[in-house]
């Protein structure tokens, strides 16, 4: 198996690091890459949608899983799909939505792999009702450091299972998984848009709608200050039964007409996104969304940015970092106010900011969400001034008992990580047991675990 | 096209063949996958069945086992529903030119895998289709066969032989309603070429793009397909350089 030196980045293109990449096209090749690859350590990588350095490994092995994307078994009665880890959500939707099955939960892009979704224990607009992706993984096959394949599930080798769900690929390579899909009658959602004038109103709306809407998310205007700090456009969604569709759509309720995909052809100059364009965009977005209700297809509802390929290029060559903070319900108001005020004061307004209420915590030892509110932001990479600013934000999050999301993080320090993830010792005990030599490692892991050389 | 028509894919687990299988499966052909690594074939077959809801069979196949070819082909015909509608030849083998210059066994292996074996298999396919007066044959040759270059001429010669043989076969079968497509891919980003090609180069195509072109060319009955299309232009230039000049180049 050949390892090729390549400069790799995450979706934020920050950082970009030299890695040795192998692209196995069979489980046998993957095993050979691992045993005879000659690299110091290895990390599996799917479609590279983690924003930071989760799937990077400076000067060492990266195992690309995109060639391992076979569907292995599907039961159309129960909706249980067994597939290899490199299968993408887009492929699952393409082939199984027409047969009435959809993903039980999905992040804001369908270009993620099943393996990556398990490793980051991803969440979506229905977290407050359904939990994160790990809840729907019935079992998985894990290639571990000793070369053996372990089948684990919530009942079999459950410690390894819950260390792997949310474990960022550090327990081994996920080869395949059995996942429970969601039965749907149509590819459409009934979406209500509600505009709020302040953060308090936004949080009230979440509280009032959490039990009545399966899907909810708020776009938050992070340019607004003072009394309108935290003003938002809430999007509240429900599944739609085929019988509730118009006669025209009812003819093929599960299939969308083909859409044209737009693409950002090259990296934009770094001036394209400045405080004026961001301010203008935020103001216009707020003004454009009045209260209304409409029928929206799944692609528009879940994946608005997938319609523009390579949208990350608008941040130019230097890239950007994503910052996703979670606050527990008790402190989320104060935490969000402090965070948003700090951001508006800095003039680093985020182009897109998304707020979401989260439900019960996943069982993964390093799973991200617990009940509260989570805010996702992006900041263009402005060089050296960015890190101290992010560290200030980290301190605010930490002070309110919150935490950051590993799938988005590129900068968190060892101390911050340890303070934010109290189940880390439990995770490390499992890792020590099945990977004593640290064969599975990423640049992010070296950073947050304080091992150096990230 | 008849909904239950069967297509045989020789060398089914190459990068291009895998992508082409999805294209053909989407047209609801029944597929017979043939390759040496049979365990992987079963995985591939399960994948195609689930995604496309078609019937897929697997048949172990060794391109260099000449004595086994007739029996192998007979098994495939048996497994097809009333004969083969299409045959795709997607295998081939490349060894470093330097190896084939000093090691004649290696040179023979390259010639066999890329020329003799395709001739043997496609003769069986042609003789099967000719009396039925229907069907198509699509074979992957190479742009390397359009002109001999010092860096790759053993492989190039085998592919040149194949391209020429396919021309003759096309001429013969045209009169019997059977179509022959010669495929000449340029640089394709597959697991086989990982590390040899820069996937970001504009000259390098994805297997999906190449498979889409092949699928279209089969069903529009094109004769010779360069994929991506601009390779036709590149090769026109390369083949028109006078030999007196060409021999001085380092290509």
């Amino acid at each position: 198996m050949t390892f090729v030196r390549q400069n790799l980045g995450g979706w934020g293109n920050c950082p970009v690091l030299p890695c040795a990449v192998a692209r196995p096209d069979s489980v046998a090749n993957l095993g050979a890459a691992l045993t005879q690859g000659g690299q110091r350590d290895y990390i599996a990588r799917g479609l590279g949608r983690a924003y930071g350095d989760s799937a990077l490994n400076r000067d060492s092995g990266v195992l690309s899983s995109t060639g391992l994307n076979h569907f292995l078994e599907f039961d159309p009665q129960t909706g249980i799909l067994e597939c290899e880890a490199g299968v993408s959500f887009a492929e699952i939707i393409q082939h199984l939505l027409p047969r009435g099955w959809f993903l039980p939960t999905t992040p804001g892009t369908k270009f993620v792999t099943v393996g990556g979704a398990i490793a980051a224990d991803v969440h979506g607009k229905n977290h407050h009702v359904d939990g994160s992706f790990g809840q729907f993984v019935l079992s998985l096959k894990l290639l571990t450091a000793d070369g053996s394949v372990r089948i684990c599930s919530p009942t079999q080798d459950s410690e390894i299972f819950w260390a792997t769900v949310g474990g960022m690929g550090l327990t081994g390579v996920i080869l395949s998984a059995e996942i429970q899909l969601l039965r749907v009658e149509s590819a459409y959602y009934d979406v209500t848009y509600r505009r709020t004038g302040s953060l308090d109103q936004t949080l009230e709306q979440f509280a009032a709608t959490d039990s009545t809407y399966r899907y909810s998310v708020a776009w938050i205007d992070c340019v607004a200050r003072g009394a309108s700090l935290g003003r938002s456009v809430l999007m509240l969604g429900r599944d739609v039964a085929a019988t509730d569709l118009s006669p025209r759509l009812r003819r093929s309720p599960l299939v969308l007409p083909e859409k044209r995909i737009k693409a950002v052809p090259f990296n934009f100059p770094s001036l394209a996104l400045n405080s004026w364009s961001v301010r203008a965009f935020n103001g216009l977005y707020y003004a454009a969304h009045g209260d209304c209700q409409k029928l929206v297809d799944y692609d528009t509802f879940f994946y608005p940015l997938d319609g523009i390929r390579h949208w990350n290029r608008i941040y130019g060559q230097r890239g950007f970092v994503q910052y996703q903070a979670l606050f527990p319900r008790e402190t989320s108001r104060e935490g969000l106010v402090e965070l948003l005020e700090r951001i508006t004061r800095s003039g680093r307004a985020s182009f897109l900011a998304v707020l979401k209420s989260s439900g019960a915590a996943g069982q993964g030892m390093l799973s991200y969400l617990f009940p509260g509110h989570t805010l996702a932001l992006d900041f263009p990479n402005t060089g050296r001034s960015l890190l101290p600013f992010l560290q200030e934000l980290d301190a605010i999050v930490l002070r309110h008992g919150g935490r950051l999301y590993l799938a988005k993080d590129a900068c968190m320090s060892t101390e911050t990580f340890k303070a934010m993830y109290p189940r880390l010792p439990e995770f490390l005990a499992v890792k020590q047991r099945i990977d004593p030599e640290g064969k599975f490692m990423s640049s992010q892991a070296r950073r947050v675990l304080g091992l150096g050389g990230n | 096209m008849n909904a239950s028509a069967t297509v045989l894919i020789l060398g089914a687990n190459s990068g291009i063949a895998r992508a082409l299988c999805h294209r053909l499966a989407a047209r609801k052909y029944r597929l017979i996958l043939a390759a040496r690594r049979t365990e992987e074939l079963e995985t591939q077959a399960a994948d195609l069945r689930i995604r496309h809801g078609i019937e897929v069979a697997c048949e172990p196949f060794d391109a260099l086992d000449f004595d086994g070819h007739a029996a192998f082909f007979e098994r495939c015909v048996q497994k097809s529903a009333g004969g083969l509608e299409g045959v795709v030849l997607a295998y081939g083998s490349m060894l470093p030119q330097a190896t084939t210059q000093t090691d004649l066994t290696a040179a023979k292996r390259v010639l066999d895998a890329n020329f003799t074996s395709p001739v043997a298999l496609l003769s069986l396919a042609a003789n099967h289709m000719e009396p039925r007066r229907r069907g198509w044959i699509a074979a992957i040759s190479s742009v390397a066969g359009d002109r001999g270059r010092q860096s790759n001429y053993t492989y190039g010669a085998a592919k040149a032989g194949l391209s020429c043989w396919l021309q003759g076969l096309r001429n013969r079968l045209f009169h019997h309603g059977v179509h022959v497509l010669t495929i000449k891919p340029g640089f394709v980003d597959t697991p086989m070429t990982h590390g040899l090609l820069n996937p970001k180069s504009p000259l390098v195509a994805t297997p999906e793009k190449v498979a889409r072109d092949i699928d279209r060319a089969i069903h529009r009955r094109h004769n010779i397909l360069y994929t991506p299309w601009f390779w036709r232009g590149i090769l026109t230039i390369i083949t028109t350089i006078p030999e007196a000049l060409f021999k001085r180049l380092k290509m």
Side-chain angles (χ1 to χ4, degrees):
Chain A
M1 199 70 235
T2 333
F3 280 83
V4 181
R5 281 190 73 80
Q6 265 175 333
N7 287 325
L8 276 189
W11 189 244
N13 273 318
C14 171
V16 171
L17 303 175
C19 304
V21 186
R23 245 173 46 183
D25 63 339
S26 69
V27 173
N29 281 344
L30 175 66
L34 202 58
T35 50
Q36 298 144 35
Q39 306 296 322
R40 181 187 63 219
D41 41 33
Y42 302 87
I43 193 72
R45 176 182 169 102
L47 287 166
R49 253 51 174 199
Y51 286 80
D53 48 2
S54 310
L56 306 184
N57 197 359
R58 186 196 280 272
D59 297 323
S60 198
V62 170
L63 302 165
S64 169
S65 72
T66 49
L68 297 168
N69 64 336
H70 296 99
F71 288 51
L72 301 174
E73 217 168 313
F74 177 64
D75 182 339
Q77 254 64 55
T78 60
I80 294 174
L81 169 71
E82 188 184 7
C83 64
E84 288 182 328
V87 168
S88 72
F89 280 20
E91 291 173 288
I92 294 176
I93 296 169
Q94 183 194 344
H95 295 290
L96 299 181
L97 178 58
R99 288 178 245 175
W101 297 97
F102 197 73
L103 292 151
T105 184
T106 171
T109 171
K110 57 188 176 296
F111 301 117
V112 295
T113 60
V114 167
I118 296 171
D121 195 12
V122 298
H123 56 270
K125 291 179 166 70
N126 56 340
H127 187 271
H128 60 287
V129 175
D130 295 315
S132 53
F133 192 70
Q135 299 302 118
F136 303 94
V137 179
L138 306 179
S139 74
L140 59 84
K141 280 188 186 154
L142 187 71
L143 178 62
T144 48
D146 60 8
S148 67
V149 176
R150 296 182 195 233
I151 300 172
C152 28
S153 72
T155 52
Q156 181 180 353
D157 263 332
S158 64
E159 274 201 319
I160 299 177
F161 182 79
W162 292 117
T164 302
V165 171
M168 302 310 282
L170 300 174
T171 55
V173 182
I174 301 168
L175 297 177
S176 62
E178 265 186 307
I179 54 181
Q180 175 65 60
L181 299 179
L182 176 72
R183 177 106 236 174
V184 290
E185 279 192 33
S186 82
Y188 295 87
Y189 295 84
D190 173 19
V191 184
T192 303
Y193 296 83
R194 271 186 212 162
R195 205 153 61 161
T196 68
S198 68
L199 182 64
D200 282 325
Q201 281 183 23
T202 309
L203 296 179
E204 271 165 35
Q205 281 293 331
F206 271 124
T209 56
D210 265 359
S211 59
T212 45
Y213 286 89
R214 187 174 198 168
Y215 309 96
S216 69
V217 71
W219 166 85
I220 185 164
D221 176 356
C222 54
V223 180
R225 303 170 182 233
S228 38
L229 181 87
R231 67 178 189 176
S232 306
V233 179
L234 252 83
M235 280 158 256
L236 305 160
R238 288 188 176 124
D239 300 295
V240 175
T243 47
D244 291 338
L245 293 172
S246 68
R248 188 175 58 86
L249 294 178
R250 213 179 302 159
R251 262 177 274 148
S252 60
L254 293 161
V255 182
L256 304 186
E258 287 248 350
K259 281 192 202 177
R260 278 203 158 264
I261 292 187
K262 303 175 192 75
V264 178
F266 48 79
N267 280 320
F268 277 15
S270 52
L271 280 174
L273 271 196
N274 54 42
S275 60
W276 288 286
S277 62
V278 169
R279 189 178 300 269
F281 174 80
N282 276 260
L284 283 171
Y285 193 95
Y286 185 77
H289 287 78
D291 293 4
C292 67
Q293 186 177 0
K294 56 183 172 186
L295 194 71
V296 167
D297 65 71
Y298 79 87
D299 226 11
T300 313
F301 183 54
F302 287 115
Y303 312 116
L305 285 173
D306 282 353
I308 311 165
R309 286 241 303 274
H310 307 298
W311 65 262
N312 54 345
R313 289 178 180 164
I314 64 169
Y315 284 96
Q317 198 150 34
R318 299 172 83 180
F320 66 105
V321 297
Q322 263 264 337
Y323 193 85
Q324 185 168 349
L326 165 69
F327 294 101
R329 205 144 279 174
E330 308 76 54
T331 62
S332 56
R333 191 193 169 277
E334 292 73 49
L336 287 167
V337 168
E338 208 179 316
L339 202 68
L340 287 168
E341 280 180 344
R342 181 68 195 86
I343 293 163
T344 45
R345 199 147 35 86
S346 74
R348 296 176 187 266
S350 171
F351 188 59
L352 272 183
V354 170
L355 184 67
K356 159 100 204 90
S357 81
S358 49
Q363 287 160 271
M365 294 169 193
L366 298 183
S367 282
Y368 175 53
L369 289 180
F370 51 68
H373 294 94
T374 177
L375 175 68
L377 307 155
D378 38 46
F379 300 111
N381 174 18
T382 48
R384 232 179 289 160
S385 65
L386 184 63
L387 190 62
F389 169 68
L390 293 179
Q391 281 165 342
E392 268 184 71
L393 301 188
D394 292 357
I396 296 173
V397 175
L398 202 51
R399 192 150 9 95
H400 292 90
R403 63 164 61 146
L404 301 177
Y405 189 14
L406 285 170
K408 303 214 166 157
D409 155 73
C411 303
M412 178 167 34
S413 73
T414 308
E415 297 69 39
T416 307
F417 175 65
K418 286 185 174 159
M420 286 178 174
Y421 284 84
R423 292 182 71 189
L424 178 62
E426 215 181 317
F427 172 81
L428 289 176
V430 177
K431 176 150 173 81
Q432 177 63 31
R433 178 154 64 86
I434 59 171
D435 183 20
E437 288 162 20
K439 198 161 185 178
F440 297 102
M441 200 49 77
S442 63
S443 282
Q444 177 179 57
R446 272 191 296 276
R447 171 167 51 79
V448 299
L449 297 174
L451 301 175
N454 55 286
Chain B
M1 184 205 74
N2 170 355
S4 68
T6 305
V7 175
L8 167 64
I9 319 279
L10 299 163
N13 45 24
S14 83
I16 295 176
R18 265 189 68 175
L20 182 59
C21 283
H22 286 297
R23 285 275 159 186
L24 297 173
R27 291 184 185 264
K28 302 298 169 198
Y29 282 110
R30 302 173 69 224
L31 300 180
I32 301 176
L33 311 181
R36 212 168 26 191
R37 297 182 290 181
T38 45
E39 197 180 313
E40 284 162 34
L41 279 189
E42 290 297 342
T43 306
Q44 199 182 341
D47 180 61
L48 289 163
R49 284 183 204 115
I50 297 168
R51 289 191 199 222
H52 305 282
I54 55 160
E55 285 180 51
V56 186
C58 299
E59 195 59 53
F61 164 64
D62 181 351
L64 298 181
D65 173 23
F66 289 91
D67 296 337
H69 284 170
F72 158 79
F73 194 80
E74 188 47 42
R75 281 197 300 278
C76 293
V77 172
Q78 294 298 324
K79 281 191 179 176
S80 70
L84 293 167
E85 175 72 16
V87 172
V88 175
L89 185 134
Y91 62 85
S93 164
M94 208 191 296
L95 290 173
Q97 174 61 28
T99 312
T100 65
Q101 280 165 215
T102 49
D103 177 354
L104 279 182
T105 325
K108 184 168 183 299
R109 204 159 80 231
V110 168
L111 294 172
D112 279 348
N114 297 298
F115 180 65
T116 327
S117 166
V119 166
L121 261 310
L122 294 184
S123 295
L124 293 167
N127 299 343
H128 169 71
M129 289 175 179
E130 189 175 25
R132 295 165 33 99
R133 302 190 70 82
R134 58 175 299 147
W136 49 264
I137 291 169
I140 298 185
S141 185
S142 170
V143 293
D146 282 15
R147 187 151 201 182
R149 294 167 298 120
Q150 66 174 0
S151 58
N152 203 10
Y153 63 84
T154 310
Y155 175 79
K159 287 296 196 184
L162 177 61
S163 295
C164 180
W165 188 82
L166 289 169
Q167 273 179 337
L169 186 70
R170 179 179 306 114
N171 189 196
R172 166 190 154 196
L173 293 181
F174 172 78
H175 304 284
H176 302 271
V178 179
H179 182 67
V180 177
L181 169 69
T182 308
I183 303 153
K184 298 183 178 179
F187 297 145
V188 187
D189 178 33
T190 66
M192 193 180 83
T193 59
H194 178 57
L196 302 174
L197 300 174
N198 171 12
K200 285 187 184 145
S201 154
L203 287 182
V204 175
T206 62
E208 288 72 29
K209 152 82 179 136
V210 168
R212 193 175 59 207
D213 286 354
I214 296 173
D215 176 51
R216 197 176 296 158
I218 290 171
H219 296 96
R220 290 184 185 168
R221 304 214 145 208
H222 292 177
N223 299 315
I224 298 174
L225 169 72
Y226 285 86
T227 167
W229 58 272
F230 52 79
W231 284 95
R232 186 182 289 274
I234 295 174
L235 268 300
T236 304
I237 295 167
I238 291 178
T239 49
T240 46
I241 298 173
E243 191 67 11
L245 178 61
F246 196 81
K247 70 178 180 188
R248 295 165 207 274
L249 303 177
K250 294 223 155 117
M251 285 183 83

